[in-house]
């Protein structure tokens, strides 16, 4: 049995701020259980819902020297859908209202977490062959496995994989501070190790020291070797390109299944969507006070409201969009200027625009099910899960051709009758608008073609099946058998 440990800062169903949580919570279930024992370790945040916290069992605790003090490390456990989840407990560090808050404190908190996660392994008696680390919060683990945790039998053969979900966030502060938090010697603070542009950089530690690096789509794996997407580390990505590969994300096909989803008004599938899917649109129009019109094209957006997701493009042509015969339903939180922009347009165009400025899992499902199209014009997108959810619900994505959006949405070709969505190349508001309007024309003037787009979208398989096999191959290769 090969033993794999996922270490990350979030995982569904316990705590989620974005797609990282979906991946860490759903991928472990999809490995071949006969050969792979995949477990997950995350912090035990106080902001994890009480219903989950109540279910956790206390396993053990110990005290660990960290930054000159002896710190409590509790280990909690809960088995969810056949997967063992471990939770690292320290109320001092993990008590905020959200997993992330103040940058400086987050750096200390996740440095502590990396130390505690590895130290906890002998205590729980789980000796992974591979530690699979996700994003900057776990960047120190590959470093520690080659450094302070190297000696002794328990850790000496442990391999590490580092997956980049978003290169934008790197965990950066001045060298002195990162040195203090990580406890690493001067040796590590050189430009070929954790130092980047004179600062300490935790993600760089993970990328330099991991035995293998992955990112969440093929296109993003190529893009980050270029300055535009490289976030200052494109040189490093080129240097490490022999150990870097893209493995596209999947989604949980049980949680996101229009045929069984209990959060939506009317279930439907690839055979009966023509008749049934519309009932979700009707229900949502009613619930949100939009014009109750079956024929009106509804465009959905479910997203963090940040620059990454292309909201400046939407803002730029929002008046034009609102002059079209569409409805726009936006669910998201994030930068205030975008939150207020959507609130403003919802006020100006009631019946046409709904601005839902909050986080809600059930509402997100209703939007994936009710909308005709799904808009995601990202500036960059390592993979993107929302467009996969849209495809699964027969909601036609309109995306910019970048990262995982490019790899998962096939542009509509009216001559060949192929494609699962609409896309545009340049980061330009009018190109986006042209794509939306092309989609509108197909929706209004060629309904049969539109329905065939839905047929093809729903026939795609973006479950984890194929990608879990690729991770298995990678683990096998690392372990050496
Ligand atoms: P990212 O991780 O960059 O935010 P992804 O597309 O990979 O983007 O994943 C986003 C996930 O978060 C999806 O599961 C999406 O449905 C969900 N999500 C984003 N905003 C909200 C919200 N306001 N309410 C509910 N779910 C949301
Ligand atoms: C990040 C990326 C997103 C990706 C997710 C899961 O949040 O922004 O594109 O889908 O991680 O890998």
């Amino acid at each position: 049995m090969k033993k794999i440990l996922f270490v990350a800062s979030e995982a569904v169903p316990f705590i989620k701020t974005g797609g990282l949580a979906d991946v860490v919570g759903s991928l472990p279930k999809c490995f071949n259980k006969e050969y792979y024992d995949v477990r997950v370790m995350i912090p035990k945040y106080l902001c994890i819902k009480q219903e989950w916290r109540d279910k956790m069992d206390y396993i053990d605790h110990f005290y660990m020297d960290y930054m000159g003090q002896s710190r409590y490390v509790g280990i909690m456990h809960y088995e969810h859908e056949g997967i063992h989840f471990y939770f690292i407990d320290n109320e001092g560090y993990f008590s905020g209202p959200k997993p992330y808050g103040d940058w400086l404190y987050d750096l200390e908190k996740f440095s502590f977490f990396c130390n505690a996660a590895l130290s906890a392994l002998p205590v729980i008696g789980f000796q992974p062959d591979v530690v699979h680390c996700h994003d900057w919060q776990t960047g120190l683990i590959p470093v520690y496995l080659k450094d302070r945790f190297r000696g002794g039998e328990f850790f000496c053969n442990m391999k590490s994989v580092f997956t980049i979900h978003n290169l934008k966030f790197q965990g950066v502060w001045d060298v002195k501070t990162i040195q203090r938090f990580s406890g690493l010697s001067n040796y590590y603070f050189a430009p070929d190790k954790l130092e980047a542009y004179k600062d300490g950089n935790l993600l760089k530690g993970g990328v330099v020291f991991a035995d293998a690096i992955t990112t969440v789509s093929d296109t993003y794996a190529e893009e980050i070797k270029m300055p535009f997407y490289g976030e200052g580390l494109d040189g490093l990505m080129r240097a490490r390109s022999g150990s870097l590969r893209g493995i596209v994300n999947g989604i949980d096909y049980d949680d996101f299944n229009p045929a069984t989803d209990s959060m939506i008004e009317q279930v439907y599938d690839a055979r009966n969507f023509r008749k049934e899917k519309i009932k979700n649109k009707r229900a949502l129009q009613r619930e949100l006070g939009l014009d109750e019109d079956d024929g009106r094209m509804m465009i959905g957006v479910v997203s963090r409201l940040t620059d990454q997701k292309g909201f400046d493009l939407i803002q730029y042509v929002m008046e034009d969009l609102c002059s079209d015969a569409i409805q726009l339903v936006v669910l998201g939180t994030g930068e205030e200027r975008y939150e207020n922009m959507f609130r403003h347009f919802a006020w100006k165009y009631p019946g046409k625009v709904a601005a839902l400025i909050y986080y809600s899992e059930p509402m997100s499902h209703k939007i994936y099910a009710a909308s005709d199209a799904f808009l995601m014009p990202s500036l960059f997108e390592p993979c993107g899960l929302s467009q996969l959810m849209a495809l699964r619900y027969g909601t036609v994505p309109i995306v910019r051709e970048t990262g995982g959006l490019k790899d998962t949405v096939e542009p509509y070709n009216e001559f060949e009758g192929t494609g699962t969505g609409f896309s545009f190349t340049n980061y330009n508001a009018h190109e986006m608008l042209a794509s939306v309007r092309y989609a509108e024309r197909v929706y209004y003037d060629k309904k049969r073609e539109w329905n065939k787009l839905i047929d093809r979208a729903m026939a795609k398989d973006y479950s984890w099946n194929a990608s879990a096999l690729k991770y298995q191959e990678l683990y096998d290769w690392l372990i050496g058998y």
Side-chain angles (χ1 to χ4, degrees):
M1 188 67 108
K2 293 165 193 171
K3 292 186 285 244
I4 315 293
L5 179 74
F6 275 42
V7 187
S9 57
E10 43 184 283
V12 292
F14 307 103
I15 186 88
K16 166 167 165 179
T17 72
L20 171 64
D22 291 304
V23 172
V24 174
S26 61
L27 171 57
K29 288 188 280 188
C30 303
F31 290 100
N32 184 339
K33 293 209 170 51
E34 241 181 90
Y35 300 107
Y36 298 86
D37 177 0
V38 183
R39 308 188 183 190
V40 182
M41 196 176 263
I42 63 170
K44 180 180 176 242
Y45 303 106
L46 202 63
C47 57
I48 293 177
K49 276 206 188 103
Q50 195 63 40
E51 59 171 296
W52 294 115
R53 296 164 53 82
D54 288 343
K55 290 182 173 151
M56 299 174 188
D57 306 314
Y58 164 87
I59 294 195
D60 209 336
H61 77 274
F62 59 94
Y63 285 86
M64 179 180 85
D65 277 336
Y66 179 67
M67 283 173 58
Q69 277 184 41
S70 168
R71 318 262 176 159
Y72 175 87
V73 180
I75 310 167
M76 311 290 286
H77 167 262
Y78 177 61
E79 188 179 331
H80 181 65
E81 297 180 353
I83 300 297
H84 294 281
F85 285 85
Y86 298 98
F87 303 85
I88 297 293
D89 186 19
N90 178 294
E91 286 199 357
Y93 280 122
F94 303 126
S95 63
K98 285 189 278 178
Y100 321 114
D102 173 65
W103 261 110
L104 184 61
Y105 194 57
D106 287 352
L107 288 161
E108 179 178 335
K109 168 161 107 185
F110 290 111
S111 300
F112 166 82
F113 175 60
C114 290
N115 274 284
L118 289 179
S119 304
L121 293 177
V123 180
I124 58 179
F126 184 65
Q127 187 179 21
D129 298 294
V130 177
V131 184
H132 189 156
C133 309
H134 300 265
D135 273 356
W136 74 266
Q137 295 89 344
T138 55
L140 283 173
I141 289 178
V143 189
Y144 288 151
L145 284 175
K146 298 248 155 78
D147 179 67
R148 67 174 55 167
F149 284 89
R150 192 180 195 168
E153 245 175 62
F154 193 84
F155 289 100
C156 67
N157 288 321
M158 234 174 252
K159 298 287 192 286
S160 61
V161 175
F162 187 78
T163 295
I164 301 167
H165 295 263
N166 194 335
L167 195 54
K168 181 98 188 158
F169 306 107
Q170 300 181 0
V172 177
W173 212 266
D174 63 74
V175 165
K176 252 204 164 121
T177 305
I178 296 291
Q179 199 163 8
R180 208 156 48 85
F181 291 167
S182 64
L184 291 168
S185 66
N186 285 334
Y187 167 81
Y188 287 94
F189 293 89
D192 62 339
K193 302 188 185 70
L194 269 69
E195 189 188 312
Y197 305 97
K198 307 249 182 297
D199 282 329
N201 185 317
L202 295 181
L203 177 132
K204 191 175 176 198
V207 171
V208 170
F209 287 93
D211 296 299
I213 310 153
T214 70
T215 185
V216 287
S217 69
D218 281 323
T219 294
Y220 194 62
E222 292 308 311
E223 286 174 339
I224 57 180
K225 293 175 200 158
M226 298 183 278
F228 184 82
Y229 295 100
E231 304 289 345
L233 297 184
D234 46 297
L236 172 66
M237 297 305 158
R238 290 195 296 276
R240 292 288 273 139
S241 60
S243 308
L244 166 69
R245 64 179 291 195
I247 300 179
V248 74
N249 286 333
I251 54 171
D252 190 314
Y253 262 37
D254 298 327
D255 286 352
F256 293 92
N257 183 354
T260 57
D261 193 332
S262 60
M263 296 184 211
I264 64 178
E265 174 77 16
Q266 173 64 53
V267 293
Y268 58 96
D269 58 28
R271 282 185 306 279
N272 64 16
F273 75 84
R274 285 172 177 75
K275 226 173 92 241
E276 305 296 341
K277 182 171 161 55
I278 185 82
K279 296 179 184 164
N280 291 294
K281 179 153 92 179
R282 265 178 221 149
L284 194 62
Q285 286 173 334
R286 202 170 320 125
E287 179 176 351
L288 301 179
L290 293 169
D291 296 340
E292 294 183 28
D293 178 351
D294 279 5
R296 186 62 58 91
M297 179 177 180
M298 182 187 279
I299 302 180
V301 172
V302 178
S303 181
R304 294 183 289 120
L305 303 180
T306 65
D307 281 335
Q308 173 190 340
K309 303 294 178 178
F311 286 106
D312 49 343
L313 299 190
I314 297 181
Q315 182 163 25
Y316 200 75
V317 294
M318 193 64 185
E319 277 294 349
D320 305 73
L321 279 173
C322 291
S323 69
D324 285 8
I326 59 159
Q327 289 181 334
L328 191 66
V329 179
V330 179
L331 172 66
T333 59
E335 286 171 32
E336 228 175 272
R337 61 188 170 124
Y338 296 133
E339 294 187 346
N340 290 337
M341 187 263 290
F342 285 120
R343 285 190 185 108
H344 169 77
F345 281 97
W347 164 82
K348 190 167 172 188
Y349 297 99
K352 226 172 181 183
V353 179
L356 312 173
I357 309 301
Y358 52 80
Y359 184 93
S360 162
E361 200 74 33
M363 182 50 80
S364 72
H365 285 236
K366 289 184 196 176
I367 295 173
Y368 290 123
S371 304
D372 298 295
F374 188 83
L375 182 59
M376 199 167 170
S378 305
L379 172 61
F380 68 93
E381 198 60 76
C383 178
L385 301 176
S386 298
Q387 84 280 13
L388 304 181
M389 295 162 187
L391 289 167
R392 174 83 165 141
Y393 283 76
T395 298
V396 177
I398 305 172
V399 303
R400 189 171 93 85
E401 289 158 16
T402 184
L405 297 175
K406 188 172 176 188
D407 295 349
T408 58
V409 178
E410 190 194 330
Y412 173 56
N413 183 323
E414 61 187 27
F415 306 105
E416 292 173 8
T418 56
T420 55
F422 295 82
S423 62
F424 60 100
T425 312
N426 294 301
Y427 195 69
N428 175 299
H430 284 98
E431 267 193 44
M432 178 193 76
L433 186 62
S435 270
V436 174
R437 289 188 167 158
Y438 182 25
E440 287 173 33
R441 282 199 303 280
V442 178
Y443 178 84
Y444 284 112
D445 303 339
K446 298 184 184 165
K447 212 20 158 284
R448 287 192 58 196
E449 284 297 304
W450 184 267
N451 282 333
K452 285 190 205 156
L453 263 159
I454 301 180
D455 282 331
R456 291 190 293 269
M458 294 186 84
K460 285 278 169 197
D461 181 1
Y462 286 110
S463 69
W464 276 110
N465 292 341
S467 293
L469 287 178
K470 291 188 181 161
Y471 282 112
Q472 286 181 188
E473 272 167 35
L474 178 66
Y475 300 149
D476 291 351
W477 174 75
L478 280 175
I479 298 167
Y481 59 97

